[in-house]
């Protein structure tokens, strides 16, 4: 498997852990290092695995079924660092709740590619999407 | 100058170009490659320098004086890739308008460290900050 395919596989493992609210799988996705960073939409920066784990514990405590579909996925690899930039289409309980622009960063380790950064920012709906114009 | 200092210097050049609304300085900060990505708070992903330049043209068109102060700056370098994670304290016309969590990514080039990603997400004010509680 080439680097891009391996990185996409690590990225997919992240979304599977996320949707399944699986703390063990989520731990295995991350490097687990002091330099790990995670910024959820609207949140402060969580630095280091201990702080990041606490954010997932809080998110996974909500037991509403959640779907997070990656779209517009772009991958770049520079040596031992890989970047995935994408848009997440997020639904809760089957209802679309919004789109999130995401940067996922991975580092190559002896165990394979591991996440060192997840940064998500809510995409503000355009006026057309938010307020359909019935007049025209 | 070691790598961390060089990266911090490139990061500072970005904020100087931003505050001065200087399109030439901003161009010189970026790698200028098809893989460049920029996500402003609430915006869609801009991919490639041409699309990114258009976002800065749009932002710089607002001639209200702007200040963007980086805080909580953390730097990590992996070979030819460097990551800066920080919080921007943004003011317009001297008035604080909010805080933005940021990932800046740089790549080493023959001309020095150049930006390949800027991703900013608005930090939602905590309830205490947004609505001071006068009762207690």
């Amino acid at each position: 498997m080439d680097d891009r395919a391996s990185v996409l596989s690590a990225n997919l493992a992240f979304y599977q852990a996320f949707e399944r609210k699986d703390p063990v799988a989520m731990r295995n996705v991350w490097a687990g290092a002091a330099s790990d960073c995670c910024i959820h939409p609207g949140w402060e920066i969580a630095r280091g695995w201990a702080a990041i784990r606490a954010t997932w514990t809080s998110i996974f405590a909500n037991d509403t079924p959640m779907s997070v579909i990656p779209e517009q996925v772009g991958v770049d690899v520079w040596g031992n660092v890989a970047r995935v930039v994408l848009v997440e289409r997020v639904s809760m309980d089957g209802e679309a709740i919004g789109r999130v622009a995401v940067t996922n960063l991975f580092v190559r380790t002896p165990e394979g590619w591991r996440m060192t950064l997840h940064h998500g920012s809510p995409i503000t709906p355009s006026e057309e999407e938010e307020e359909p114009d019935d007049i025209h």
Side-chain angles (χ1 to χ4, degrees), chain A:
Chain A
M1 195 153 48
D2 71 6
D3 278 345
R4 289 174 54 87
S6 302
V7 168
L8 281 170
S9 171
N11 194 63
L12 180 63
F14 169 73
Y15 285 102
Q16 287 177 340
F18 194 164
E19 286 195 330
R20 292 172 188 168
K21 305 181 196 239
D22 181 335
V24 175
M26 184 57 82
R27 167 64 191 89
N28 291 336
V29 164
W30 284 81
S35 56
D36 293 354
C37 288
C38 187
I39 306 167
H40 298 289
W43 293 34
E44 299 276 350
I45 301 165
R47 295 186 199 256
W49 171 247
I52 294 168
R53 182 180 48 201
T55 71
W56 291 111
T57 301
S58 160
I59 288 167
F60 292 168
N62 182 336
D63 60 5
T64 308
M66 192 169 189
S67 121
V68 186
I69 312 293
E71 298 179 339
Q72 304 176 30
V73 180
V75 183
D76 291 278
V77 181
W78 297 275
N80 293 325
V81 180
R83 180 190 67 185
V84 184
V85 175
L86 55 84
V87 172
E88 296 172 354
R89 191 172 289 275
V90 183
S91 301
M92 294 193 78
D93 226 358
E95 190 175 343
I97 60 164
R99 296 165 65 244
V100 178
V102 169
T103 302
N104 289 330
L105 208 61
F106 297 87
V107 287
R108 194 195 303 266
T109 77
E111 292 76 40
W113 291 96
R114 292 291 180 270
M115 183 169 269
T116 182
L117 175 127
H118 169 68
H119 186 168
S121 58
I123 297 175
T124 307
S126 66
E127 287 184 16
E128 291 78 29
E129 287 172 273
E130 215 165 26
E131 305 176 63
D133 189 339
D134 293 324
I135 295 167
H136 300 291

